Amino acid sequence: MNNRKITLRQLETYLFKAADILRGTMEASEYKEYIFGMLFLKRISDVFELKMQELKGVYKSQGFSDEQINELLEDPHSYGDTFFVPERARWQNILNLKEDVGNQLNKALAAVEEKNLELQGVLSHIDFNAEKGKTRLKGQQLIDLIHHFNEYRLTNEDFEFPDLLGAAYEYLLKQFADSAGKKGGEFYTPPDVKKLMVRVVKPQQGMTIYDPTIGSGGFLIESRQYIEEQGQNPRNLALYGQELNGLTWSICKMNMILHRIPDAHIENEDTLTTPQVMENGYIKRFDRVLANPPFSQNYSRTNMQFSERFKYGFTPETGKKGDLMFLQHMIASLKDNGIIATVMPHGVLFRGGQEKFIREGIVKDDLIEAIIGLPSKLFYNVSIPACIIVINKNKPEYLKNKILFINADREYGEGRNQNYLRPEDIEKIVTVFNGKKEIPKYSRLVDIKEIRKNDFNLNIRRYVDNSLGPEIEDVHAHLFSGVPKREVELYKEQFQKFGISPEILLKEKNEKYLEFKYEVEEKSKIKEIIDNANDVETTVLKHKEKLQEWWNEVKPEIEGFYGNNNLLNFRNRAIKELKEKFLPLGSLGEFKIYGMFVNWWEELRYDFRTIASTGWSKNLIEDERIKGKFFLSEMKAIEELENKTAEIEGELNEFLEEVEDWDEEEQGNKTPSKVKKHLKEIVKDLRASFSEPGLKEAAKLESLISKIEEKEKELKKFKKELKDADEELENKIRQKREALNEEEVKELLLEKFYEIIGKQLDKYLNTEKKEIINIFENLWDKYKVSLRELTQERDEEVKKLDDFLGRLK
């Protein structure tokens, strides 16, 4: 077992490798319960063992006999807030399992449940013997999983910062959601959406917060973290939720416990038919409600409790229109001064029938503060765009009978399978929401009178149309070439961000038109010219100088992080100072600067928390950084060995390619051993023929076999040297890490922190520069070649074809 303190990255890697043991056997959506179950069992067993040793010392010092101590240690009441782990579920016994492993693990979980009322029903949803489709985990897979989890002890004193296990659990949830595709949406809301919605409702300490379709609990955990980041007390908070799916409820309960929130009230039932979060015989009311309910579900009124919740009416039970039923439940669950933020499909904003009647009632009661249109493909289970509806039962006077519409569906980052909200997108939405700002094609405060005229249709584009205007198409320019000056003038603001003028690529053609300069002989030259422009290089240099100024100011504060329990103050000051440095340069807007900083912060915040909690930890330094700093010559030697190995493999493959009579279907791929065997059989036959040509061919093939064997020996030699060099470097890195003093650790980490913010600056400046390049490339595509030239080229080609056909007659 590894006794060194664990960093978040180490724990994330470790947990994901646990999934590798099961990956391929079944889908991620099916095996996640085994990973979570094993993680939970290991965690509570390790914490219990630590508490047991502590109690043993206390009882011994109080003079109890060994027999009395053993009796006390087996009493669950001795352990206070620590979960009691019965004998069969203790990790040492789990580690020794050899037979009937799945059944024994199930019994261990049941024993833990039996001894801890708080876990009643939580672990019974996990069945290590269950068949998923036609697959059941083999005993050896479970043994491998157990031994994998034995690598680290999982107590708080083993972590670089206290909430490390909760952060790793969130990482694992996201990985499972990514792997599970659409099924991931059943238990997980993307972190960017959670962050946005929590910032919109602004929970405060002392509040009650509720999620009626809680999934894995992300909104409640995000709310708690938000309160902590505001410098408030996250323990002074009451968290509630309800979840229909039993396994998801179980995962949520474990999530809360691993985030050190054992007192969260999470119920398992259907929220619409059987609400469970009660107070004084009726559904409890809350300060804040956050939710991402399942889209477009059917529901049933049969045996529905507290139907008075739905004061605006009932949607059809079939036809997948349960969305507004969830919204009405939330409204009924909200205090008179409370706020809701919930994800909803766009259909609820404009569909007719009973949904229109319900929508009209909610609008007339002036409950909607804002409707925020989101980009498409943000969520795992739906690709259609969604929106956030913000309900406020106590709107300020200036918002009475008004609704803020924000159309943010065009501003997002593109991922491999999903889109996501970038930090700058979240900041823009929150800034506009907080200030109720009106921005053309983005946001507008709409009077309910206008909505009434539109028959209570809340379609966002009806009020904030952000569709792109028609692109200029200059007929004269298309016919005779030339770039219209009026079109170039539209991009003046973008050009000014880098201090460049259109003259960098264009020259005067006549009073109304420009044309590309002679030296821009092809489209690819546009990027080259802009990249190398003096004004562009000067602009980039100014930003780097300002970044260095900013770093010189914030670096001493970072150096003083150890023991600092309020990183929020630093964060707020640092971002304010960064904006002050960059805004006057005019290249990056306020939200882009914010995005650059937050990307940096998010990448490093757990490093910062580790430093604040335990100091300048050696474990935060990646091997690659130590290599680059101290072992460049060794890295160069390894690179040379890798190149030499690749060269010999190439030469060996050339020899193999000389073998021509090779039937790949019968004999497989050409490996040296297969080729040699094949050639030796041919040689044997040739020698048996005793013919002179046959003997000559045999000698030639024997020479080829000899060359192959020589190259194999050479390759083996270099591979061994490479393996030895890699192992030696790993040992040197390990030794160097242990030998690092605090100042060296600090120097390496500060280099890393500055390097990351530098890369963020490069990324944002390159994005702005790319926009300029795209503008010129678009102008090239539209106007460089005129219709007249195209027609002339066509006519010339037709003439050539006619001449050719004429000669054939």
Side-chain angles (χ1 to χ4, degrees), residues 173-181 184 188 380 417-418:
L173 277 168
K174 185 180 187 312
Q175 297 304 314
F176 280 129
D178 287 344
S179 301
Y188 189 77
Y380 291 96
N417 297 318
Q418 277 181 269

Side-chain angles (χ1 to χ4, degrees), residues 58 315 492 526 531 670 740 749 778 789:
V58 171
T315 60
K492 186 177 179 182
I526 292 172
D531 281 341
K670 286 182 178 178
L740 290 170
L749 287 175
N778 186 45
E789 289 170 304

Side-chain angles (χ1 to χ4, degrees), residues 749-760:
L749 287 175
L750 288 169
E751 281 177 9
K752 167 185 166 180
F753 300 162
Y754 183 60
E755 187 181 295
I756 291 172
I757 191 73
K759 285 178 179 176
Q760 286 296 326

Side-chain angles (χ1 to χ4, degrees), residues 73-135:
L73 290 177
E74 292 303 321
D75 180 2
H77 298 99
S78 303
Y79 289 85
D81 293 337
T82 302
F83 290 114
F84 180 80
V85 180
E87 182 72 29
R88 77 180 309 151
R90 291 171 196 170
W91 191 251
Q92 196 54 50
N93 293 326
I94 298 294
L95 200 57
N96 291 328
L97 291 177
K98 296 288 185 289
E99 296 177 354
D100 196 20
V101 181
N103 193 36
Q104 294 301 321
L105 285 170
N106 288 344
K107 287 179 178 178
L109 293 177
V112 171
E113 265 200 20
E114 186 183 338
K115 294 293 183 181
N116 299 275
L117 284 176
E118 308 96 311
L119 296 177
Q120 193 168 5
V122 173
L123 305 178
S124 58
H125 289 283
I126 301 166
D127 182 359
F128 285 99
N129 258 349
E131 279 196 13
K132 304 289 185 176
K134 295 182 179 179
T135 308

